Amino acid sequence: GQAVKGVANISSLQVVRRANSPFQDDPFFQYFFGDQDMYGARDRRSMSLGSGVIISPDGYIVTNNHVVGENVREITVAFSDNREVKGRVIGTDPATDIALLKVDLAGLPAVQWGDSSKLQVGEWVLAIGSPFQLSRTVTAGIISATGRSNVGFSEYEDFIQTDAAINPGNSGGALVNTRGELVGINTGIFSQSGGYQGIGFAVPSTLVQHVVNDLRQF
């Protein structure tokens, strides 16, 4: 249960312009209304990006670099207890598709690190995600390969391959072993059909720890 609680939803708050009014460029209306939007044309909308994993009680959260994206300014992190807070990006490592976020909270349910180097092919794992604020998803599968390279979406060449369903909603979420320990961060997707069936990849936890330590220092 701890591992499920330790997965958060990552969303971004974006300002979306609603449909413009037909009078927007009319000088007569501009004279009366100035530049303010008559119809309140600005709309703040939260867009779910994916999942993240709480790795320390004081608010460090790991997710995928591609979940955070290039220029997301404001990230919202939603926890299993319904709390929603702003998060900031501490650093990103595109080569491994890992990003480190920080929220200002204490006492969070961190997921325990596991040793991904001890994973065996055929071992059961769970992919845990939080695609939306109040939902958690858990899919089971087995490790189908370790040390996979040439997967095409990252420079890094040592992925865990699993048949547990990994999709945009649980990307950035936790891959855990049967003891509930974090053995990987669910990441890029590959399938011949373009769907999400079949093969999922995860960045091994030993590498994630290494990247996280670097990002925290520098």
Side-chain angles (χ1 to χ4, degrees), residues 1 47 83 108 133-134 144-145 165 179 201:
M47 288 189 30
R83 281 189 293 182
L108 292 174
Q133 183 186 341
L134 296 178
S144 44
R179 291 186 298 282
F201 292 104

Side-chain angles (χ1 to χ4, degrees), residues 127-145:
I128 305 174
S130 178
F132 303 104
Q133 183 186 341
L134 296 178
S135 65
R136 296 291 176 281
T137 60
V138 180
T139 54
I142 59 167
I143 300 289
S144 44

Side-chain angles (χ1 to χ4, degrees), residues 83-165:
R83 281 189 293 182
E84 235 185 274
V85 297
K86 286 191 178 58
R88 58 186 192 278
V89 180
I90 299 293
T92 60
D93 182 36
T96 54
D97 197 20
I98 292 294
L100 183 64
L101 312 177
K102 178 77 171 67
V103 296
D104 295 324
L105 289 176
L108 292 174
V111 182
Q112 297 303 306
W113 290 101
D115 184 350
S116 55
S117 68
K118 293 198 165 72
L119 281 175
Q120 304 288 320
V121 170
E123 185 175 332
W124 281 95
V125 285
L126 297 174
I128 305 174
S130 178
F132 303 104
Q133 183 186 341
L134 296 178
S135 65
R136 296 291 176 281
T137 60
V138 180
T139 54
I142 59 167
I143 300 289
S144 44
T146 57
R148 275 302 306 273
S149 58
N150 299 320
V151 293
F153 52 77
S154 159
E155 298 160 39
Y156 181 66
E157 300 286 277
D158 188 17
F159 287 94
I160 299 164
Q161 182 182 313
T162 175
D163 66 356

Side-chain angles (χ1 to χ4, degrees), residues 60 89-92 100 210-218:
Y60 281 98
V89 180
I90 299 293
T92 60
L100 183 64
H210 180 72
V211 170
V212 164
N213 290 338
D214 282 356
L215 292 176
R216 280 176 77 157
Q217 279 178 301
F218 310 113

Side-chain angles (χ1 to χ4, degrees), residues 27-108:
F28 176 76
F29 276 89
Q30 290 211 324
Y31 177 75
F32 281 103
F33 292 101
D35 279 337
Q36 59 179 319
D37 292 323
M38 286 169 48
Y39 295 106
R42 289 177 179 281
D43 196 3
R44 289 163 74 78
R45 188 183 312 154
S46 185
M47 288 189 30
S48 180
L49 300 173
S51 304
V53 182
I54 304 165
I55 55 162
S56 70
D58 64 343
Y60 281 98
I61 295 166
V62 173
T63 185
N64 290 147
N65 183 49
H66 79 256
V67 165
V68 175
E70 290 301 301
N71 48 10
V72 172
R73 287 184 196 81
E74 205 171 310
I75 288 175
T76 305
V77 183
F79 297 93
S80 59
D81 60 5
N82 301 358
R83 281 189 293 182
E84 235 185 274
V85 297
K86 286 191 178 58
R88 58 186 192 278
V89 180
I90 299 293
T92 60
D93 182 36
T96 54
D97 197 20
I98 292 294
L100 183 64
L101 312 177
K102 178 77 171 67
V103 296
D104 295 324
L105 289 176
L108 292 174

